[in-house]
Every structure is written in C-alpha cells, then in structure tokens.
Amino acid sequence: MFFKLFSIFLIIPVIELYLLIKIGGMVGALNTVLIILTTASLGAYLAKSQGLRVLREIQEATSMGYMPGNELLHGFFVLVGSFALITPGFLTDIIGLSMLIPQIRGIYVEMAKGVIRKKIQNGQWQMRMYTDFR
C-alpha cells in the first residue's frame, strides 16, 4: 500500500509538470494560466452546486427512513473531485471535473460499489448491522 501511494504522489506531479510544459509551449504561458484559472472557477461553481445537490439527496433519503449509501458515495466523489480541482494541473482538472458531472460520477459510484462488493465477498471487509436503535 505504501508503494502504491508513493508511486501516485511521485507519478502524478511528474505528469502534471510535463503537461503544463507541453501545453504552455503550444498555447503560451499566459493562455495556460488562463485555462487553469478558468477550470478552477468552473470547478468551484460545480463543486458548490453538486455538493449542495448531494446534501439535499442525503437529507431526503434519511427523512424517508433509509440509509443513503449511493448518496454518500456521490458525496465522496464530489469531495475528491473538488480537491482534485484545487490542485493546479490539467490531469487533476480533468479527473476533478469528471467527478463533478453527475452522469460521469455515476460511473465512478458503480465502480466503487463493485470494489466494495468484491471486498465483502472475499472477506476482506466485514459488515455488521446494529439494530439496537434508541
């Protein structure tokens, strides 16, 4: 696990630098900065609107009396996408924006549910249900 995290934190910045240099060489430094600022502004707007939407969906689910599992996963990906947009760079902006578009985020949620199901079936994760509600 440490090696995977180390690789991610090493490889992603190298890719980001490479893309910034390449795109900056093609469109110019000022245009590159403007593109990054534009995607950050668009991302901030989407993060706010999608975050509020997911929060409303979570509140509706709990008021109807069921556990908001899908809604919580959507909220998780909105949060991750928002953090990705804070990081300057083209790759993280693309990943972050994709997590803030509801239709694409649904694909991430389905993939996450598949991973969770597989880990539960393999016995790597356990679920317990506590029914002593008060």
Side-chain angles (χ1 to χ4, degrees), residues 42-91:
L42 176 64
Y45 170 76
L46 280 173
K48 181 181 177 185
S49 66
Q50 291 301 307
L52 292 173
R53 177 181 175 193
V54 169
L55 184 60
R56 274 193 308 274
E57 290 173 0
I58 290 171
Q59 289 172 340
E60 288 173 8
T62 54
S63 69
M64 293 183 348
Y66 71 90
M67 180 66 177
N70 282 334
E71 292 83 358
L72 290 173
L73 282 174
H74 277 273
F76 171 75
F77 285 111
V78 167
L79 181 66
V80 171
S82 300
F83 281 132
L85 283 168
I86 292 171
T87 306
F90 291 105
L91 179 65

Side-chain angles (χ1 to χ4, degrees), residues 62-123:
T62 54
S63 69
M64 293 183 348
Y66 71 90
M67 180 66 177
N70 282 334
E71 292 83 358
L72 290 173
L73 282 174
H74 277 273
F76 171 75
F77 285 111
V78 167
L79 181 66
V80 171
S82 300
F83 281 132
L85 283 168
I86 292 171
T87 306
F90 291 105
L91 179 65
T92 53
D93 283 352
I94 291 169
I95 293 169
L97 284 172
S98 72
M99 289 184 180
L100 294 177
I101 299 171
Q103 295 80 7
I104 299 174
R105 188 173 60 241
I107 297 169
Y108 287 115
V109 167
E110 291 303 317
M111 288 172 30
K113 286 173 19 181
V115 169
I116 291 168
R117 272 191 209 101
K118 187 181 289 187
K119 288 190 179 283
I120 290 172
Q121 289 171 350
N122 290 342

